[in-house]
Every structure is written in structure tokens, then in C-alpha cells.
Amino acid sequence: MITLSVIKADTGGFVGHSAVHPDMMRTADEQLRERKAKGFIEDYCVGRVGDDIALIMTHRHGVDSELVHRIAWEVFQATTQVAKGLKLYGAGQDLLKDAFAGTIKGLGPGVAEMEFEERPSEPVIVFLGDKTSPGAWNLPVYRMFADPFNTPGLVIDPKMHGGFDFEILDLRENKVARFHTPSESYDLLSFIGSPNRYVIRNVYRPGDDEPVASTSTQRLSLIAGRYVGKDDPVLIVRCQSGLPAVGEALEAFAQPHLVEGWMRGSHCGPLMPVGFDQADTSRFDGPPRVVAYGFQINDGQLVGPRDMFGDPGFDKARQTALEMAEMMRRMGPFEPHRLPLEEMEYTAMPEVMAKVADRFKSAEPAAVQQAAAPR
Ligand code: F6R
Ligand code: MG
Ligand code: MG
């Protein structure tokens, strides 16, 4: 069995919240090279998108391994020191606690991990998102594993024809539930259509407990109880031979959808698929974006990465995303570009409300009744 762990954090931005400084990338690489030399992990790749570093690691210690989580914690401590030394922005932003206690979960970084038996050939794609949140994966993961208009394999590959099981997490109640598709697609969609509350956590083949896709489902704002940066998510998808083809997994991002995040974690904007050379955010601190690291796993070694969105085939998607961005930006501080009050990461509303509270008088009962009357 092999475990693929992707642990990502924002430990400082260059410039502002836009990118990761090369010295931080170098430090993360040196740290993981040392851990690999000691035999703690099989292999690694240090990925990045926007201001986030992603530690992509293979190892034999299973999910939730204290050793592997501790390694990630130590690497992020080291990159934080580099960020502090350069006075980069928000150094250590996602490290919410001072001490490591057995797991990195709940300490700030995002975690997606899966343990599986390596197949004769094991293609995987690691998607990294910036300026958005875990619910951003709901729509594309549904497209990959349950929508035959995206994934013809669901119809024409006998190995996929039985459908897939989705495990969703209720972020508010901290409860999980499983749904089979296609038979329970409409039930599933009733939940995952609200991606700020219900997020897809894992996808399985029916009757099998080995995940074929896995997401990070932390919400920093819920963990920290206050704004500490958007919890930019990661997604792992295994591909081919009875799973979505690489091109079917990528196709799920070809028609950009609107996600929560962007400026101040408080806006709705398109998720733009980009190549490695376009991974840094700029316009209005965005737009939200996703990069795709492709690997073949060979006896635990990560053969890759290959830049899966660095293809003119996605130019049209990028163009569409930019047009959507333009349209949303015209709304300025109005919903639905600006998120509803309860979903904003920043809000001056309590202060504004406190300042003007005594201006609000009871409205005329008649006016209220009139407004509330059914049509
Ligand atoms: C969104 C994000 C940025 C910041 C914005 C303000 O996820 O990271 O849009 O929210 O640049 O940042 P502060 O409050 O640090 O000045
Ligand atoms: Mg940041
Ligand atoms: Mg980020």
C-alpha cells in the first residue's frame, strides 16, 4: 500500500497574498529532500499556487500519520522563518497554533490524503486551488464521477457503468453521509449544490473502501473562529482503467464555474484553470485559480509533475473565466459578487451596525404586513 499526502499552507506571501517566494520553495525542497534521504518518505514534489505551498508526498505510513504530519509542520515552520526573514506578507498565516500535537489537522494547513494499492500503472492528478474554498471542488468532482456529459466513460466503459459513491461532509454539523450515483444523484445534488455547507470529501467505487478521489475539507474560518485567510483547497484524483480518464478529470474545469473566495475571501468569482507559469494571482487578488499537477506513481516514486492545464486546449476556458470575472466585477460591493453577510471572511458590519443601531426604528406595522403579504 502507498499513501499520497498533499498538505498545503500559506506561510507568507510575495508580494502581498499573490505568490510564494522562491527562497521558501527552495527551503521546502531542501527539507523534504532531507526527510526522503532519511527514508521517512518515499518521494515528494513541492507544488504551489498563488501564495500557497503544497507538499505532495508519497510514503508507507498510512493516512493521518503523526510522522508525516510532523514533517509537514516542520517544513512549514522553516518556510515561515524564511518569510519572516524577508518580511514577506502574512508570514506563518496558516499556522494557527504554536505546538504540534500528533496531527496537523485543525492547526491550519489543508490536508488531502489517500492510501491505496498501487495499480500496474497509477496516473494521479493533484489539483491545487488558490483564493477559494473546499466547496469549489463540488461541481467539478460531480462532473468527473457522475456526469456523462463530461465523462463518457460512465456510459461506454463497462468498468464505470456502475457509477460511484460520494461521501459528503456537513461542515456545520461535522457529519458525513454517503450517496450512490447515478441512483441517488438528485439527493446528492440537493446537498452539494450548497458548497459552503456540504463538501465532497471522498469518492469511492461502489463496495470499495479505497478512495479514488479525496479533497481537503478544512475551513480556516470555522477552525479559527475569525478570518485568517481563505482555506485554499487541494483535490487528489486517481485516473484511468475504470476511473475518469485524465482528460475527463481535466474536462471538468473546461467550463469555469463561480466559487467563493477571491478578494478578502468575500467575493464570488470564476475558478480559472491555469498552467504553472500562471499560478500567481493578481487581478483583485485573483481571480480564483486551479493548477493541475499530473504524476505517474512508480513504486512509490512520483514521476512528474506534468503541467496538465498548461495547454492551449484550456485557453478558451481561461478566456471565459476572464469574461465572467469582468461581469462579476461590475457588481462592485453588491451581492452576488460580494458574498452574503454570513459567508464573508471580512466584515465591518458589526461596527457599522453598532454605530448606527439607534437610527433603526420599528417600521410601521402596516408597512411590514404589506411587504410580507403573499402575492
Ligand atoms: C483572500 C486574500 C486576500 C486578502 C486581501 C487583504 O484570500 O488572501 O484577498 O484578504 O489582500 O489582506 P489583508 O487583510 O491581509 O490586508
Ligand atoms: Mg496569504
Ligand atoms: Mg492562498
Side-chain angles (χ1 to χ4, degrees):
M1 295 285 262
I2 187 79
T3 305
L4 176 60
S5 298
V6 185
I7 307 185
K8 78 102 234 150
D10 173 351
T11 55
F14 166 62
V15 173
H17 290 282
S18 67
V20 180
H21 192 281
D23 288 359
M24 296 169 72
M25 294 297 287
R26 211 169 298 127
T27 296
D29 188 75
E30 283 162 10
Q31 293 271 327
L32 287 185
R33 194 180 320 140
E34 188 190 307
R35 303 312 196 282
K36 182 183 168 181
K38 287 186 175 149
F40 296 154
I41 54 176
E42 293 285 323
D43 202 5
Y44 71 92
C45 167
V46 182
R48 69 179 189 88
V49 61
D51 54 4
D52 305 316
I53 299 177
L55 309 177
I56 303 168
M57 299 174 282
T58 48
H59 56 89
R60 309 273 178 197
H61 308 290
V63 300
D64 287 327
S65 151
E66 178 168 352
L67 172 73
V68 173
H69 284 206
R70 181 185 293 280
I71 289 173
W73 181 254
E74 288 168 359
V75 175
F76 289 137
Q77 297 288 339
T79 55
T80 298
Q81 286 316 310
V82 175
K84 283 188 174 158
L86 293 168
K87 276 181 70 176
L88 297 180
Y89 197 68
Q93 170 179 297
D94 283 356
L95 308 186
L96 307 179
K97 307 248 167 85
D98 295 329
F100 179 82
T103 173
I104 203 159
K105 286 187 178 160
L107 302 186
V111 186
E113 300 186 283
M114 51 165 82
E115 185 179 33
F116 52 88
E117 200 69 60
E118 196 181 297
R119 296 171 292 166
S121 182
E122 187 63 63
V124 297
I125 306 177
V126 176
F127 295 93
L128 308 175
D130 188 39
K131 304 294 182 272
T132 184
S133 45
W137 304 134
N138 282 9
L139 188 151
V141 171
Y142 181 84
R143 275 189 188 147
M144 287 176 210
F145 288 93
D147 177 5
F149 283 77
N150 181 86
T151 301
L154 292 165
V155 181
I156 64 182
D157 180 349
K159 294 203 287 291
M160 297 177 76
H161 203 80
F164 290 93
D165 289 350
F166 288 69
E167 180 190 65
I168 63 166
L169 170 70
D170 177 345
L171 290 165
R172 222 171 284 167
E173 301 285 327
N174 201 29
K175 288 184 176 160
V176 291
R178 273 206 205 192
F179 295 87
H180 177 69
T181 58
S183 62
E184 297 177 317
S185 297
Y186 299 161
D187 296 338
L188 174 67
L189 286 166
S190 318
F191 293 100
I192 63 171
S194 292
N196 55 46
R197 171 146 185 198
Y198 300 97
V199 297
I200 298 170
R201 192 160 78 162
N202 288 301
V203 181
Y204 301 93
R205 292 189 185 98
D208 191 351
D209 269 339
E210 211 174 71
V212 292
S214 214
T215 71
S216 60
T217 48
Q218 290 70 25
R219 286 198 91 189
L220 285 185
S221 52
L222 294 186
I223 295 170
R226 65 185 169 87
Y227 176 78
V228 282
K230 204 71 193 177
D231 40 342
D232 304 314
V234 305
L235 160 68
I236 306 172
V237 180
R238 296 169 68 196
C239 298
Q240 306 287 156
S241 300
L243 301 177
V246 164
E248 288 168 336
L250 298 173
E251 180 67 9
F253 294 91
Q255 288 159 7
H257 63 298
L258 294 168
V259 298
E260 292 189 354
W262 208 349
M263 174 58 77
R264 298 178 185 274
S266 303
H267 291 80
C268 178
L271 186 67
M272 181 165 69
V274 294
F276 295 169
D277 61 345
Q278 296 177 323
D280 301 333
T281 55
S282 63
R283 184 177 179 190
F284 202 53
D285 281 0
R289 65 196 59 208
V290 51
V291 295
Y293 281 68
F295 300 97
Q296 288 285 151
I297 301 181
N298 175 21
D299 197 17
Q301 300 299 299
L302 289 164
V303 180
R306 206 170 90 63
D307 177 3
M308 307 309 288
F309 286 139
D311 169 8
F314 280 92
D315 284 353
K316 184 69 171 46
R318 291 187 262 278
Q319 195 54 42
T320 303
L322 295 179
E323 279 157 21
M324 291 163 78
E326 191 61 36
M327 205 178 291
M328 296 305 282
R329 283 299 300 126
R330 283 182 207 161
M331 297 289 297
F334 286 81
E335 298 176 19
H337 178 34
R338 204 219 65 199
L339 295 179
L341 283 175
E342 62 279 9
E343 284 302 322
M344 290 161 69
E345 299 285 359
Y346 281 66
T347 176
M349 190 62 164
E351 283 95 329
V352 176
M353 203 48 174
K355 197 172 68 186
V356 300
D358 59 355
R359 292 190 205 172
F360 282 85
K361 315 282 182 219
S362 292
E364 295 297 319
V368 173
Q369 275 163 20
Q370 212 175 354
R375 279 180 239 181

